[in-house]
Amino acid sequence: MKHAPITKKDLVSNEEFDAIRNKRRHEVMTLKKNRRFSVGPDITFYFENKDTLIWQIQEMLFIEKGGDEQIQDELDAYNPLIPNGDEWVATMMIEIDDFERRRLTLAQLGHIENQIFLSFDDEDVQAIPTDDMERTNESGKASAVHFLHFRFSKEQKKKIQNASSVTLSIRHPRYHFASEIVGEILTSLKNDLSKD
């Protein structure tokens, strides 16, 4: 489903947000449960939609209290992550609690954002990283956070709608894992696609 961009009208003041924050957190966590997917031991994909992004913006505004100037900055940062009806959008996080292991692992995962694929039927769709900034530094160390778009043709969307599973794989030489997206998570993600 195609969503309009988030605007100031979609947001509430920090005072209003404070009053509904706990209730809203519970609602969004319930939603995110069917939009969170792990591949291998250290990487989790959080598939975004308009509701998850509004929550993220509200949280940033509430915590940082940057006023009107911050609102526009957050809208500019998060609106490109709203699925447009022809794609899935995910925040990919390399999640390792141990500092030293995280440091060593990230140093070995340079350009991992270019090695992410969705497979279904006879299709292989490579993730397209956002181009807001380089996510691998000059020494080859990967960022722990990546923003990815999986863009589909009309035919691919039809195949996904009929698929009972979609495989999400990471094909980096130092991190080679794949997992099947099925059930409620796949159903939730199918709802991000327009019917045309």
Side-chain angles (χ1 to χ4, degrees):
M1 165 185 308
K2 189 165 186 170
H3 291 287
I6 300 167
T7 68
K8 290 182 182 181
K9 292 178 183 177
D10 295 307
L11 307 173
V12 298
S13 69
N14 279 344
E15 293 75 22
E16 292 173 277
F17 186 63
D18 191 25
I20 62 169
R21 190 177 182 210
N22 287 337
K23 177 179 180 285
R24 190 73 186 114
R25 178 186 290 114
H26 176 73
E27 293 169 353
V28 172
M29 291 307 111
T30 300
L31 171 67
K32 284 188 171 188
K33 181 183 70 161
N34 288 327
R35 302 185 67 83
R36 178 182 186 276
F37 189 74
S38 296
V39 178
D42 301 322
I43 295 182
T44 304
F45 292 81
Y46 297 87
F47 286 91
E48 307 292 359
N49 69 8
K50 191 171 184 177
D51 291 328
T52 67
L53 296 169
I54 289 173
W55 164 260
Q56 185 64 33
I57 291 170
Q58 289 283 185
E59 276 287 290
M60 297 295 285
L61 295 172
F62 184 77
I63 292 165
E64 296 180 7
K65 296 178 176 35
D68 281 346
E69 185 177 314
Q70 184 187 359
I71 291 174
Q72 192 57 54
D73 288 344
E74 301 297 345
L75 293 175
D76 291 344
Y78 286 101
N79 267 323
L81 300 179
I82 298 174
N84 66 12
D86 297 326
E87 64 181 349
W88 291 345
V89 181
T91 301
M92 181 182 83
M93 301 190 68
I94 303 171
E95 300 179 312
I96 303 170
D97 291 334
D98 179 80
F99 173 80
E100 187 60 19
R101 190 169 83 79
R102 180 172 65 247
R103 185 184 69 78
L104 291 171
T105 300
L106 292 176
Q108 297 176 352
L109 294 181
H111 303 290
I112 191 170
E113 68 275 17
N114 298 315
Q115 304 296 323
I116 316 297
F117 295 84
L118 285 173
S119 303
F120 51 93
D121 201 350
D122 56 350
E123 303 288 344
D124 214 21
V125 175
Q126 186 170 8
I128 302 168
T130 59
D131 56 7
D132 61 332
M133 63 183 286
E134 179 59 51
R135 298 286 169 171
T136 297
N137 71 16
E138 292 169 359
S139 69
K141 178 184 176 188
S143 169
V145 180
H146 301 265
F147 303 103
L148 306 170
H149 294 257
F150 297 93
R151 297 196 174 122
F152 308 117
S153 68
K154 286 186 179 182
E155 283 303 311
Q156 288 170 335
K157 286 197 300 182
K158 287 178 188 173
K159 289 178 180 181
I160 288 174
Q161 293 294 1
N162 293 319
S164 58
S165 71
V166 173
T167 300
L168 179 52
S169 60
I170 302 171
R171 302 175 189 172
H172 190 278
R174 298 285 187 147
Y175 195 95
H176 205 281
F177 293 93
S179 297
E180 278 191 283
I181 305 173
V182 295
E184 292 179 352
I185 296 176
L186 183 56
T187 299
S188 178
L189 296 180
K190 286 180 180 182
N191 289 333
D192 290 346
L193 301 177
S194 61
K195 304 298 186 227
D196 60 358

